[in-house]
Amino acid sequence: MSLLFSKANLGTLALQNRLVMSPMTRNRATGNLPNELMAQYYGQRASAGLIITEGTSPSPNGLGYPRIPGIFSAAQVAGWKRVTDVVHASGAKMFIQFMHCGRIGHALNLPAGARLLGPSAVAAAGEIYTDAEGMKPNGTPQAMTEADIKATIEEFAQAAKNAVAAGFDGVELHGANGYLLEQFIRPSSNQRTDRYGGSIENRARFVLEVVDAVNNAIGKDKVGIRLSPFGVFNDMPVYDAMEADYTYLAQQLNARGLLYVHLVDHSPMGAPVVPASMKATFRSVFKGALILSGGYDAARAESDLEAGKCDLIAVGRPFLANPDLVARWKTSAAVNAPDMSTFYTPGPKGYIDYPAVSR
Ligand SMILES: Cc1cc2nc3c(=O)[nH]c(=O)nc-3n(C[C@H](O)[C@H](O)[C@H](O)COP(=O)(O)O)c2cc1C
């Protein structure tokens, strides 16, 4: 009897299995609008228990990459409604990932009037793709004022209401991988001297205020968060107090009664290993559901579920390349390999044309 493929509950949500499709940015949302192609892509993968969308910006200021979707306009809500309808018709539940890119971005990717924001005016090392001029160095963000912080928190809360209006079962706050929320947590990107910088209590304040605002807007039973302790993506170096800082976050998130914490482990992609002790801390301190991700195949997923290390397993690249991943893993069928050259390119190629064996 497989745990991975058996029905489960996530809070009050009934899931058809314990396999979650990880959030994956695919850059098909021309004009930052969810479209029919995206409805088809997600619909093809709706045999998952839960689908988490690609990173979606709650604000024009958060659109650091080209062709990523938003959830702040009426047209975006209408576009996402079509997506959630298609996915729900096939039985999966669906959360939307709120990704405010913060300092990861470039003015060329932002709509008119939007601003590149960060906790401090410190640019991330590295380059970012722009449709207009190709690769460019990440821009230098404007350090957010208290008024910017307040306005951004309000954007998250409004976006959460928009998400519910668009038919999502909940929202996942992207607190991982070097985007705005993590930029506040980490001392390298957060060099503030006010109550949002310095001690971990201060560096965690923005994230926890976003959590509180989103909880108030839609209810804590609809809110999860993704975190990447020990993650280094987007110029986020490891530092001494990492484990202590994330232990504090686990305690604070537990006190707020969120639905789930989703931990990223990108060591299968060459990133530093996330110590087992860190995952165990989240498992023991946080009483809500725990989702683990990173490099899973069916056997490892089953074994971590059986060991009680987590409640659900999230899978990225295998889902990207196999619309019918659940059926393939159930029957130990061969899987398609992902084609990296079409991960972020516009159009249907490498997006909705991976073959299924079961349909
Ligand atoms: C094409 C691509 C896009 C991604 N975009 C996001 C994203 O928008 N948000 C996020 O939290 N993680 C993102 N990730 C990371 C994945 O969610 C996942 O953590 C990673 O692929 C490792 O899991 P896997 O080994 O199952 O693929 C992305 C990964 C890939 C391959």
Side-chain angles (χ1 to χ4, degrees):
M1 181 62 193
S2 152
L3 275 176
L4 184 59
F5 302 121
S6 52
K7 294 186 195 321
N9 289 321
L10 176 61
T12 57
L13 279 182
L15 306 184
Q16 56 194 0
N17 53 57
R18 291 185 170 84
L19 197 54
V20 178
M21 178 173 161
S22 277
M24 283 180 289
T25 292
R26 304 302 312 276
N27 305 78
R28 264 67 176 187
T30 305
N32 309 116
L33 278 174
N35 54 39
E36 197 53 37
L37 197 61
M38 291 163 62
Q40 210 180 326
Y41 165 76
Y42 285 114
Q44 287 174 340
R45 286 155 180 78
S47 52
L50 173 67
I51 291 179
I52 303 169
T53 69
E54 62 208 275
T56 301
S57 183
S59 163
N61 298 329
L63 293 166
Y65 293 102
R67 290 170 273 105
I68 64 169
I71 179 88
F72 50 83
S73 76
Q76 288 161 346
V77 173
W80 279 123
K81 181 73 176 70
R82 166 84 185 128
V83 177
T84 60
D85 282 348
V86 170
V87 164
H88 285 148
S90 293
K93 301 293 192 250
M94 194 171 201
F95 273 43
I96 180 169
Q97 188 184 55
F98 284 176
M99 177 172 80
H100 192 307
C101 294
R103 69 174 184 161
I104 300 302
H106 194 279
L108 289 170
N109 291 338
L110 296 180
R115 295 185 299 148
L116 202 70
L117 295 176
S120 301
V122 179
E127 295 190 317
I128 189 145
Y129 181 78
T130 68
D131 275 336
E133 297 182 16
M135 297 305 289
K136 305 289 280 184
N138 277 309
T140 301
Q142 295 173 18
M144 290 165 75
T145 62
E146 285 250 358
D148 289 331
I149 288 178
K150 191 161 172 282
T152 304
I153 292 170
E154 280 165 13
E155 287 174 331
F156 272 93
Q158 182 58 51
K161 291 180 192 163
N162 294 349
V164 171
F168 285 103
D169 299 292
V171 310
E172 175 175 288
L173 303 173
H174 196 348
N177 302 352
Y179 299 106
L180 185 65
L181 300 187
E182 193 175 82
Q183 289 161 29
F184 270 87
I185 297 169
R186 301 292 186 90
S188 50
S189 45
N190 181 348
Q191 300 179 2
R192 302 176 72 95
T193 53
D194 64 358
R195 63 199 184 95
Y196 291 96
S199 65
I200 182 58
E201 288 78 6
N202 283 355
R203 281 181 280 117
R205 190 179 311 281
F206 175 68
V207 176
L208 296 174
E209 287 182 356
V210 168
V211 168
D212 288 338
V214 171
N215 280 355
N216 282 338
I218 60 170
K220 62 186 180 182
D221 56 331
K222 292 191 179 64
V223 185
I225 189 166
R226 197 169 209 222
L227 296 172
S228 50
F230 294 86
V232 296
F233 186 59
N234 280 325
D235 191 19
M236 288 300 191
V238 172
Y239 60 102
D240 283 348
M242 180 85 78
E243 193 148 355
D245 283 2
Y246 277 88
T247 300
Y248 172 80
L249 271 172
Q251 290 160 346
Q252 291 297 314
L253 293 168
N254 184 56
R256 283 162 175 81
L258 294 194
L259 180 62
Y260 72 76
V261 167
H262 181 180
L263 291 183
V264 171
D265 179 349
H266 282 169
S267 55
M269 301 163 103
V273 171
V274 183
S277 57
M278 185 84 263
K279 294 182 190 174
T281 294
F282 272 95
R283 189 57 165 159
S284 63
V285 170
F286 183 75
K287 304 301 179 200
L290 185 66
I291 307 178
L292 292 181
S293 67
Y296 276 95
D297 58 18
R300 198 173 137 240
E302 191 64 39
S303 130
D304 278 6
L305 287 169
E306 268 171 22
K309 290 184 184 172
C310 59
D311 300 289
L312 305 172
I313 296 287
V315 166
R317 291 161 295 172
F319 252 122
L320 183 157
N322 296 275
D324 56 345
L325 184 69
V326 174
R328 288 186 193 234
W329 275 7
K330 257 187 196 168
T331 57
S332 304
V335 291
N336 306 316
D339 168 20
M340 279 183 66
S341 73
T342 50
F343 275 4
Y344 309 114
T345 47
K349 190 171 178 307
Y351 191 54
I352 53 156
D353 56 357
Y354 284 101
V357 288
S358 63
R359 285 173 194 236

